Amino acid sequence: MNQLSSQDAQFLYMESEDNHIQVTAVAVFDPSTVPGGKVVRFKEILAHIEKRLHLSPLYRRRLERVPLELDFPYWVDDEQFDLENHVQHIRLPEPGDWRQLCIQLSRFHARPLDMSRPLWEMLVIEGLEHVEGLPTGCYAIATKLHHAAVDGASIVNFYRGLVDIDNKGTPAVPLDQFTESHSRAPGLLKMAGRAVYNAVKSPIAMTDAVMRSAPALYRLGQQALTSQREPSTPVPDTRFNSNASPHKMFDATTFDLDELKEVRKAVPGCTINDVVLCICGGALRKYLMRHKELPGESLVAWVPINARPGASKEADSPGNRITSMTTRIFTDVSNPVDRLRRIHKATKRSKEAKAGISARLMTDLSQHVPAATFVTAGRLVLRAGMAANICNLFVSNVPGPQVPVYMNGAQQVATYGIAPLVDGMGLFIATPSYNGKISFNVTSTRETLPDIQFFIECIEASLASLQKAATKELSRR
């Protein structure tokens, strides 16, 4: 039996009627690379996907819920699976420009998945005739998955099974590397028996986890006592800490990855992720200043961290293997290099803490919380909008392949991502990278970010300011 982990299940319990916890990955393809100038038709895309279904269990498995939510749901085979129920096809309305693409992607992302089927959908979008920066004649494939099934890293692995390393159709993943797995639906008695067993086992396993972590818990206690002597910085209240409405908004801008690599030289030791946070901090500062809403305290970002082991079978498994950190992004600092320097110090401290005990301990303990308690807690957190007390926005940096990939002979030329929101925190900036490019993808709602195009301009201006300040800093050395 293949049961959801507590971390996977929490993304089910965080949903509301107006807000669905799902992720949409978008790949844009240029058919001019297809050998012989052949046209890529929708039926050929369907046939290609069908040949790769066995590479991931996500394609054919659906959720089987336990009555009364007495235990976490199970992944089971969908006996009625039909590929054409999951892959749709549209054409952009005139003029086929970037704005029309963003509108269609926002609508697709906002629609809920059919929870009685495998938790994914694809939308093939043709007619990208006048999208600046993309070759004429491109088409996009948007893939929407429920967050209960995937995290950022497993989305990359899911997608890797679909693409090729050349336009001749050589798979990026050998087609014989995986065999199709099956998960049969457990009977009602078996689910009930397992629910009772898990409920009885949970307190024992919880105690065992605490006892094994006792030395580390002592260190955490010492750190907590120390931190009480230091002044704490509250999370400021901003427009982004509102409830997430069903009216989702999406926009994005793309840079050369080398531009970010160059500016990070201004602060020795800093990472691309630090630069991303610095750009986001500068953009938010500019945006909130325009609206006369910039708080005196720094905004706080929630940053997911991939917790998958580097070289193991678990590294390619679906589901969620993430921890996270919160960090100030110093929107109260005007100098971009000074902001980058402070962000680097803050993230270094947070990562050192996460590399120690806190992330591992909380993950271990959450696995032993009874399902009914987890359901109740998740819904209470959702209704209370508690995210607003923790952070102001999400920022997620997910590296993708840095070489060209293909599908049906067409080369992928761009990648974008639309992320989920939660009540109390209505802004998500995702920064996937691919083939030397990195895109800043903004997900929000119409009520929270009505001028999303101006916010994109703020991101572009923030990088330009950071480049100018970094050049000046490097010239002084």
Side-chain angles (χ1 to χ4, degrees):
M1 292 189 292
N2 193 345
Q3 193 171 19
L4 271 72
S5 70
S6 58
Q7 192 174 60
D8 294 341
Q10 72 178 336
F11 293 109
L12 294 176
Y13 307 143
M14 290 169 64
E15 285 201 320
S16 67
E17 291 182 2
D18 292 337
N19 191 53
H20 307 286
I21 310 301
Q22 48 205 25
V23 182
T24 301
V26 184
V28 180
F29 293 92
D30 178 10
S32 69
T33 62
V34 178
K38 184 181 176 183
V39 176
V40 179
R41 302 189 183 280
F42 179 62
K43 65 178 182 179
E44 292 167 338
I45 294 174
L46 277 176
H48 177 87
I49 296 168
E50 190 165 22
K51 290 178 183 177
R52 307 291 176 95
L53 291 176
H54 70 283
L55 295 179
S56 174
L58 294 179
Y59 287 110
R60 295 180 182 270
R61 68 184 191 182
R62 62 174 179 82
L63 283 179
E64 181 79 11
R65 296 220 186 213
V66 178
L68 303 178
E69 303 284 8
L70 293 176
D71 204 355
F72 297 133
Y74 293 83
W75 291 117
V76 302
D77 294 338
D78 181 10
E79 303 294 344
Q80 308 299 323
F81 177 77
D82 183 350
L83 179 61
E84 293 191 32
N85 284 334
H86 293 265
V87 187
Q88 305 298 320
H89 178 219
I90 66 168
R91 185 176 184 84
L92 278 187
E94 295 295 337
D97 58 8
W98 174 252
R99 180 174 176 276
Q100 286 294 336
L101 179 60
C102 289
I103 290 171
Q104 294 301 321
L105 290 173
S106 298
R107 291 173 179 171
F108 173 67
H109 177 73
R111 289 196 295 269
L113 289 160
D114 185 341
M115 302 300 283
S116 67
R117 294 174 177 166
L119 301 184
W120 67 276
E121 289 179 6
M122 283 186 186
L123 181 65
V124 180
I125 307 174
E126 291 187 319
L128 282 65
E129 301 298 336
H130 299 98
V131 178
E132 186 177 350
L134 295 178
T136 302
C138 285
Y139 60 90
I141 299 181
T143 305
K144 179 168 59 179
L145 304 103
H146 200 284
H147 213 324
V150 291
D151 56 22
S154 57
I155 290 173
V156 173
N157 292 330
F158 174 86
Y159 182 67
R160 187 175 59 179
L162 286 175
V163 298
D164 304 320
I165 58 174
D166 55 39
N167 66 349
K168 300 178 181 64
T170 306
V173 176
L175 299 185
D176 59 355
Q177 181 172 331
F178 300 95
T179 56
E180 194 164 356
S181 60
H182 296 279
S183 299
R184 302 193 182 281
L188 188 60
L189 285 177
K190 184 169 282 191
M191 285 194 293
R194 190 177 178 92
V196 171
Y197 171 75
N198 286 338
V200 172
K201 182 189 72 171
S202 292
I204 300 172
M206 177 78 80
T207 301
D208 180 63
V210 171
M211 292 301 293
R212 282 187 284 108
S213 303
L217 283 171
Y218 175 77
R219 290 196 300 272
L220 279 179
Q222 292 292 96
Q223 291 172 10
L225 289 173
T226 302
S227 65
Q228 286 179 0
R229 303 187 193 107
E230 300 173 356
S232 60
T233 304
V235 176
D237 184 30
T238 69
R239 64 165 61 204
F240 308 117
N241 297 108
S242 57
N243 287 347
S245 81
H247 309 123
K248 300 299 188 290
M249 298 281 285
F250 166 74
D251 207 339
T253 185
T254 301
F255 308 114
D256 287 334
L257 195 54
D258 284 343
E259 293 183 85
L260 275 66
K261 291 178 180 178
E262 188 64 28
V263 297
R264 74 176 179 177
K265 295 176 183 177
V267 178
C270 86
T271 65
I272 291 295
N273 196 56
D274 294 333
V275 177
V276 165
L277 291 171
C278 183
I279 293 170
C280 293
L284 286 161
R285 176 182 173 84
K286 182 178 178 66
Y287 180 85
L288 293 173
M289 285 180 68
R290 166 69 69 89
H291 290 281
K292 297 180 172 58
E293 297 174 4
L294 181 66
E297 309 87 6
S298 170
L299 270 64
V300 177
W302 180 289
V303 184
I305 300 172
N306 180 16
R308 292 172 178 269
S312 73
K313 186 177 181 181
E314 188 181 357
D316 288 330
S317 63
N320 290 270
R321 301 289 188 279
I322 54 175
T323 181
S324 61
M325 67 178 180
T326 56
T327 181
R328 290 189 293 165
I329 53 175
F330 298 97
T331 50
D332 54 336
V333 176
S334 59
N335 183 284
V337 171
D338 191 21
R339 185 187 314 121
L340 179 58
R341 189 176 292 112
R342 295 191 187 195
I343 286 172
H344 172 57
K345 290 180 180 177
T347 57
K348 186 178 179 181
R349 285 195 299 269
S350 294
K351 288 174 183 176
E352 286 171 352
K354 294 298 177 186
I357 178 61
S358 54
R360 294 199 310 274
L361 175 61
M362 293 313 296
T363 299
D364 196 14
L365 296 183
S366 69
Q367 292 173 352
H368 308 304
V369 176
T373 304
F374 218 89
V375 173
T376 304
R379 289 172 180 165
L380 284 173
V381 168
L382 175 68
R383 289 170 186 164
M386 291 182 183
N389 299 322
I390 302 171
C391 62
N392 302 107
L393 73 155
F394 287 126
V395 180
S396 179
N397 180 27
V398 181
Q402 295 306 311
V403 294
V405 296
Y406 301 78
M407 185 173 173
N408 291 101
Q411 181 181 337
Q412 182 180 333
V413 292
T415 185
Y416 306 103
I418 313 176
L421 305 172
V422 297
D423 283 344
M425 206 273 299
L427 176 63
F428 199 126
I429 303 176
T431 58
S433 58
Y434 163 70
N435 195 27
K437 302 283 187 180
I438 183 168
S439 59
F440 281 65
N441 301 257
V442 179
T443 307
S444 190
T445 65
R446 193 181 304 155
E447 295 81 1
T448 300
L449 203 63
D451 50 352
I452 191 170
Q453 290 172 311
F454 172 63
F455 187 71
I456 292 295
E457 293 172 11
C458 292
I459 292 175
E460 294 168 345
S462 180
L463 174 58
S465 297
L466 179 57
Q467 288 174 314
K468 184 177 179 180
T471 300
K472 187 176 180 180
E473 175 73 19
L474 290 169
S475 67
R476 287 203 297 259
R477 292 180 184 174

